[in-house]
Amino acid sequence: MWLKRNKKGGDAYFYWQQAKSFFDASSSLPKESSPLTSYYCFLNATKAFLAAHGRHIPNMHGAKGWSVGKAALSNEKVRFYQDGVLSELCRALGETSNGDEYTLGALLYNLPYIHRAYSLTYTSAPELFTPISRPHYVRKSGSTEGWFSAVVTDTRYATGHTTNKLPITFERDEAKANFVIRRRSRFKWEQGKSKKEANLRRLRSYHRNVRKHVAYIHGPQTLWYIKRRDNVRDFIPRCPLTLTFAAMHRLSELCRYTPTRLARHFECGHNWLLSEFIATAPQQFMDEISSAITGQDFMIPGRRASGA
């Protein structure tokens, strides 16, 4: 509906309809087969995003994977290339794509929507995400400065340990009685109708930087998280969209070319983690890419947003 109403039909609409068909097909396939259709769902949804925003749509995928050694997540590799659909998505989101290489395990580690499954599978890995509520922008009365703020309501995380893990551009707001975190840097918001466009430009720029550190999980109630600072092994400074795309790309390669190796992954201790990713990634990816295309929030009908 959004594509039609905003005159973004043509290629964007075609790619989106194809993505929907692949999404529907994935829901009826077993986990040994669904990564293939899920990846093509992601690929075409990303092409719809690029087309809707007037960006170049490359012929290449933009990623390539390979395996080393036995079936382990650390032995599945993915390289981000300079050209391709993934590369263009990276650039659209303010990321680079210059031949960076990651393991499948590291990609999954950096995804908030399966982080609980990852932490229970690899108990020695430090937590990357702290749950937050009420993420919002504030401005003091009479001031021209605004900033990002959120509350840590879970008492397990409302500690100095959390403060020490925050990205260096964030801090605890000591003036608040409850555990509030905020971004150190500010954006300028001036009074007057003539200042509106300039204010919005500054806020959009500021917001893009905030979202490098803040992510959500789609569901009946949107759950928000802040990602810790990058001083732990396997930390990847990328957004969930590009990480999910790359991880599913590798699984689709296994599904196509070495299905017996993929089957061996489901016989290992990380079986639950991999199964959780395959089951939940399509809904999460489509929610995020829909928001990227439209600039809108999406909620399950009949549900009220909590902590937004």
Side-chain angles (χ1 to χ4, degrees):
M1 282 175 17
W2 186 92
L3 291 171
K4 286 183 176 179
R5 288 174 181 172
N6 290 273
K7 305 186 187 312
K8 303 290 186 180
D11 289 348
Y13 185 75
F14 172 79
Y15 287 132
W16 189 258
Q17 291 300 104
Q18 259 202 339
K20 182 181 183 300
S21 297
F22 285 127
F23 181 95
D24 293 340
S26 295
S27 64
S28 63
L29 292 173
K31 61 186 180 183
E32 295 83 1
S33 304
S34 63
L36 184 58
T37 49
S38 290
Y39 170 67
Y40 279 103
C41 168
F42 297 177
L43 180 69
N44 282 278
T46 301
K47 288 181 178 180
F49 163 73
L50 297 175
H53 290 273
R55 301 186 70 96
H56 171 59
I57 302 176
N59 293 323
M60 307 296 289
H61 292 244
K64 184 175 179 60
W66 67 98
S67 303
V68 295
K70 64 180 182 179
L73 297 182
S74 59
N75 289 336
E76 303 297 343
K77 313 288 187 175
V78 180
R79 178 180 292 124
F80 283 53
Y81 283 103
Q82 291 183 339
D83 298 308
V85 174
L86 176 58
S87 319
E88 196 65 23
L89 175 62
C90 288
R91 285 187 280 272
L93 298 174
E95 299 179 1
T96 60
S97 185
N98 299 317
D100 297 321
E101 297 178 5
Y102 307 103
T103 68
L104 179 57
L107 293 171
L108 299 182
Y109 180 42
N110 284 264
L111 292 173
Y113 58 92
I114 56 166
H115 196 61
R116 179 175 177 272
Y118 190 98
S119 297
L120 292 174
T121 303
Y122 300 99
T123 55
S124 62
E127 280 191 286
L128 279 187
F129 299 95
T130 297
I132 56 176
S133 63
R134 294 188 61 243
H136 61 287
Y137 294 105
V138 299
R139 180 174 63 85
K140 281 187 178 180
S141 178
S143 170
T144 59
E145 286 191 336
W147 60 89
F148 172 83
S149 182
V151 182
V152 178
T153 54
D154 191 327
T155 55
R156 293 174 298 173
Y157 296 92
T159 67
H161 184 56
T162 291
T163 304
N164 294 335
K165 292 192 303 180
L166 289 174
I168 58 175
T169 55
F170 289 78
E171 65 184 356
R172 181 180 177 184
D173 189 344
E174 299 290 351
K176 304 292 184 181
N178 51 352
F179 201 97
V180 175
I181 59 175
R182 65 184 181 186
R183 194 159 184 242
R184 297 176 190 270
S185 63
R186 306 287 195 260
F187 63 91
K188 193 174 183 180
W189 189 275
E190 298 177 297
Q191 297 292 340
K193 290 185 178 180
S194 63
K195 306 290 186 180
K196 181 179 178 180
E197 289 303 317
N199 286 338
L200 289 174
R201 282 197 301 271
R202 287 190 291 266
L203 177 57
R204 282 192 288 266
S205 177
Y206 185 88
H207 180 72
R208 282 193 293 270
N209 285 316
V210 168
R211 287 304 307 274
K212 293 177 181 179
H213 308 282
V214 177
Y216 73 95
I217 299 178
H218 165 78
Q221 293 183 337
T222 304
L223 303 176
W224 288 93
Y225 298 85
I226 186 167
K227 195 173 182 179
R228 68 172 294 162
R229 66 179 59 184
D230 57 347
N231 58 348
V232 294
R233 181 184 175 187
D234 286 337
F235 178 98
I236 302 177
R238 293 186 180 274
C239 76
L241 271 175
T242 53
L243 296 170
T244 299
F245 186 109
M248 194 64 80
H249 180 272
R250 180 60 197 139
L251 290 175
S252 76
E253 289 178 317
L254 290 171
C255 188
R256 280 177 285 174
Y257 305 127
T258 54
T260 55
R261 182 178 177 88
L262 178 60
R264 288 199 294 275
H265 278 288
F266 292 121
E267 298 168 356
C268 299
H270 55 265
N271 167 43
W272 176 47
L273 170 61
L274 210 53
S275 300
E276 188 83 355
F277 171 73
I278 291 170
T280 59
Q283 188 71 48
Q284 181 73 27
F285 186 92
M286 294 306 288
D287 184 82
E288 292 188 36
I289 201 73
S290 297
S291 294
I293 290 172
T294 65
Q296 303 291 324
D297 241 350
F298 292 88
M299 290 295 296
I300 297 174
R303 301 286 183 173
R304 183 183 297 276
S306 174

